[in-house]
Amino acid sequence: MSPTKLGLKLGCIADDFTGATDLANNLVRSGMRVVQTIGVPTAALAAQVDAVVVALKSRTLPAAEAIAQSLQALRWLQTQGATQIYFKYCSTFDSTPSGNIGPVTEALMDALNTDFTIATPAFPDNGRTVFKGYLFAGNVLLNESGMQNHPLTPMTDANLVRVLQAQTKRQVGLIDYKTVAQGEAAIRERVQALREGGVGVAIVDATSNDDLLRMGPAFKDLPLLTAGSGVAIGLPANFGLKPSLQASQLPPVTGWQAVVSGSCSVATNAQVAHFKAQGRPALAINPASLMSGQNDALVQQVLAWARPLLPSGPVLVYSTAEPDAVKQVQAQLGVAEAGALVEHALAAVARGLVDAGVKQLVVAGGETSGACVQALGIAQLQIGPQIDPGVPWCFAPSDSGAQADGVHIALKSGNFGTPDFFSKAFEVLA
Ligand code: ADP
């Protein structure tokens, strides 16, 4: 497909998978038609869209690798005609002094030949606000939010100007809340002053959605934006787009319905219990029985159970368990081994269900989603209507015999969704 035919407006590079979906969801809700790709695509886009979000897994890679992948994504987006680039990172600014927010931003600036960009993880709807350059998570500073203990990217300083300055050779500055409150002209004036003062990257304050909406027009001409998912809500209007039902329209639904759940989070446990309490068919996979060799037999048993039930409505296959049970299994198998065994089995179940005619699939669990998407050979997801905040329905077009008509799929990360999520999801799609 040629860039003109595609009409691509915004090209996004996300440093992890669920973060990519979060960004895509915000863009769709603000009026853009969006496709999320798993990694840098090799094929042309399957649908005509306004924005593409390339999902990388680069957050904690060595900086050089994160840069290489991000530049590859940039080049692909440019060949698709993207007129503005958006580098998306976590709303808690997850990074270390060696990266990767600073190094990737710098590399993208160099590649785009631009001397100025912004950086803000603010998303007030999700409790992430930036005030005088300090990031708050809910009511507390970032470094008091629990993020100071993160195993991979401990955030021990809430001052984002300092945090980012440690990661980049470019000078870091601030566009504060007073300037943002005054709107487009004041923000543009501040950008000009910062630029003249040699600042290359400005942290931007935002304490409300209105702040994010004011940023949209002010940053319209910047070739590169770097942010969490919040800044996205102000951008579609720059391209003359308004929120519309059309943006989230997916192809018509077909086939049977199923839920595969490998998340053991509190919310998912409640969702499994709710589904069962409604008298819906549900089958638990016991990880202890997944010892080497028995995996395939167990998957076949699960599929034999599910097949005759599918015509009557959604079925649930789950390994979801309460913390005590999970700990017991982990003690027996080891944490990583237990996780991998279960993910592998659930992904094989998802694949088998789709082969059996399931075309509407809900997957619960971030890692579980990754495994299922991989097992289904999904490379591109068109983003549809939101089920609950952060979780949209997606459509994976057919690219294999087993997915002849494509598959509608919802990827729910652990603690998202109301207790009735597993039934509500199919109602939203219908
Ligand atoms: P969440 O989004 O809730 O964190 P994930 O899918 O990311 O869910 O992570 C859950 C992990 O726990 C996966 O690796 C999964 O395979 C593993 N797991 C699922 N069920 C069990 C269980 N009953 N015992 C041990 N580990 C499990």
Side-chain angles (χ1 to χ4, degrees):
M1 223 178 266
S2 75
T4 2
K5 190 173 168 208
L6 202 66
L8 187 63
K9 297 169 175 77
L10 192 64
C12 310
I13 304 166
D15 70 354
D16 90 333
F17 189 90
T18 44
T21 310
D22 181 17
L23 171 61
N25 190 46
N26 274 355
L27 290 170
V28 167
R29 284 163 60 76
S30 305
M32 282 185 156
R33 296 160 304 163
V34 182
V35 157
Q36 174 178 339
T37 70
I38 318 303
V40 182
T42 46
L45 282 166
Q48 195 171 329
V49 290
D50 303 305
V52 176
V53 183
V54 177
L56 301 178
K57 216 170 177 298
S58 58
R59 185 169 295 167
T60 53
L61 286 179
E65 274 175 58
I67 288 171
Q69 288 189 15
S70 304
L71 290 178
Q72 199 195 347
L74 171 68
R75 279 189 290 272
W76 184 83
L77 289 166
Q78 284 175 318
T79 63
Q80 299 296 307
T83 54
Q84 189 174 40
I85 300 295
Y86 190 122
F87 169 39
K88 153 75 173 75
Y89 37 75
C90 189
S91 68
T92 42
F93 216 70
D94 297 18
S95 52
T96 69
S98 54
N100 288 331
I101 296 176
V104 169
T105 298
E106 222 167 73
L108 292 173
M109 287 176 79
D110 289 343
L112 287 162
N113 202 17
T114 181
D115 68 337
F116 185 83
T117 187
I118 56 138
T120 182
F123 192 15
D125 267 2
N126 272 355
R128 306 288 184 266
T129 51
V130 181
F131 180 63
K132 299 190 181 193
Y134 285 80
L135 174 58
F136 287 80
N139 295 322
V140 297
L141 284 165
L142 178 65
N143 57 308
E144 298 168 9
S145 68
M147 276 303 296
Q148 69 273 27
N149 302 317
H150 191 282
L152 303 174
T153 52
M155 302 302 291
T156 55
D157 187 359
N159 184 309
L160 298 184
V161 176
R162 264 195 314 252
V163 169
L164 188 56
Q165 192 62 79
Q167 300 178 29
T168 175
K169 293 187 289 291
R170 309 255 178 174
Q171 196 184 324
V172 181
L174 176 67
I175 303 176
D176 78 357
Y177 71 102
K178 282 190 214 151
T179 306
V180 174
Q182 289 170 52
E184 182 183 350
I187 300 171
R188 282 181 181 271
E189 218 169 280
R190 176 72 179 152
V191 168
Q192 187 57 28
L194 287 170
R195 256 181 159 144
E196 282 164 10
V199 167
V201 190
I203 302 292
V204 193
D205 280 354
T207 58
S208 68
N209 274 9
D210 287 344
D211 286 338
L212 296 175
L213 293 172
R214 280 187 278 267
M215 285 181 204
F219 299 141
K220 187 178 175 182
D221 308 321
L222 296 182
L224 173 70
L225 300 171
T226 88
S229 66
V231 169
I233 69 170
L235 299 180
N238 287 344
F239 300 96
L241 298 169
K242 290 195 202 88
S244 75
L245 278 180
Q246 233 176 347
S248 63
Q249 210 160 44
L250 297 180
V253 289
T254 58
W256 312 130
Q257 305 165 327
V259 182
V260 171
S261 176
S263 160
C264 299
S265 300
V266 177
T268 310
N269 268 290
Q271 287 153 354
V272 168
H274 188 277
F275 189 86
K276 285 161 66 179
Q278 285 189 311
R280 303 259 192 201
L283 186 68
I285 288 187
N286 177 2
S289 65
L290 282 175
M291 302 305 183
S292 41
Q294 294 176 31
N295 202 320
D296 288 349
L298 190 114
V299 169
Q300 289 315 316
Q301 279 169 24
V302 171
L303 294 173
W305 166 84
R307 273 190 207 100
L309 296 169
L310 290 172
S312 312
V315 302
L316 164 66
V317 179
Y318 67 100
S319 65
T320 305
E322 298 287 348
D324 282 351
V326 173
K327 279 201 195 98
Q328 237 175 17
V329 171
Q330 288 175 335
Q332 213 176 334
L333 298 174
V335 175
E337 175 73 358
L341 258 184
V342 176
E343 280 166 38
H344 188 73
L346 289 177
V349 167
R351 176 82 222 191
L353 287 170
V354 169
D355 289 344
V358 168
K359 302 288 179 199
Q360 304 169 47
L361 180 68
V362 172
V363 184
E367 295 299 323
T368 309
S369 292
C372 289
V373 162
Q374 204 173 14
L376 291 169
I378 291 172
Q380 295 185 15
L381 290 167
Q382 193 183 337
I383 309 296
Q386 174 174 288
I387 306 163
D388 268 329
V391 201
W393 269 109
C394 306
F395 179 73
S398 59
D399 54 1
S400 75
Q403 295 169 40
D405 310 313
V407 178
H408 287 80
I409 187 164
L411 307 170
K412 187 196 82 74
S413 80
N415 272 321
F416 285 0
T418 53
D420 60 348
F421 186 90
F422 292 159
S423 339
K424 182 169 67 179
F426 299 108
E427 287 160 23
V428 169
L429 199 55

